[in-house]
Amino acid sequence: MFSHVMLGVSDLEVSRRFYDALLGTLGIAPGAAHKNRYFYRSPTGTFAISTPINGEPACHGNGSTIGFTVQSPEQAQAFHDAGVAHGGTTCEDPPGFREGPSGALYLAYLRDPDGNKLCALHRPPKK
């Protein structure tokens, strides 16, 4: 459904270090630089960070969340820990399993240095 997601950031190098560490826990290579942007590519899509082209301040969307699929609760925890260690802040409930209409999900929420809300999501196989 999606080809890419791009977030506006205030400090490109602070955000690059954050996302290099965070996405590295998912096996994604460090961002590739192009002008005022970094691109993180995977077989299923592209994630990018950019200083706003219009010169206005970057801001986060209230109520918005970007979710990243992870392979295990341990990978979700590593994602969360790497984010917090590189300038992110934890938000929502602590990482862990939550019951929902589609069954149990392991969720780990945090905000990046600009306040964008991110989530590592592991959906265990149905038994």
Side-chain angles (χ1 to χ4, degrees):
M1 180 183 297
F2 302 107
S3 64
H4 68 282
V5 172
M6 184 177 295
L7 291 178
V9 299
S10 301
D11 185 319
L12 195 58
E13 288 307 309
V14 166
S15 292
R16 180 199 54 80
R17 287 189 299 274
F18 174 86
Y19 282 106
D20 281 0
L22 187 78
L23 298 177
T25 68
L26 307 182
I28 297 171
H34 179 70
K35 298 183 182 178
N36 63 322
R37 297 177 172 158
Y38 281 95
F39 293 89
Y40 299 85
R41 303 192 194 286
S42 80
T44 58
T46 299
F47 177 80
I49 56 174
S50 175
T51 54
I53 292 172
N54 65 4
E56 296 292 322
C59 62
H60 65 275
N62 188 22
S64 300
T65 302
I66 297 174
F68 293 88
T69 300
V70 297
Q71 301 304 309
S72 67
E74 294 78 17
Q75 192 177 38
Q77 187 65 54
F79 175 97
H80 185 270
D81 292 348
V84 170
H86 288 85
T89 55
T90 193
C91 65
E92 302 272 332
D93 292 330
F97 279 102
R98 293 168 180 78
E99 283 297 325
S102 61
L105 301 173
Y106 191 96
L107 302 170
Y109 287 96
L110 71 151
R111 291 192 182 272
D112 75 3
D114 286 291
N116 295 295
K117 188 173 171 184
L118 312 171
C119 178
L121 183 148
H122 171 66
R123 187 181 312 273
K126 298 247 182 200
K127 293 182 182 184

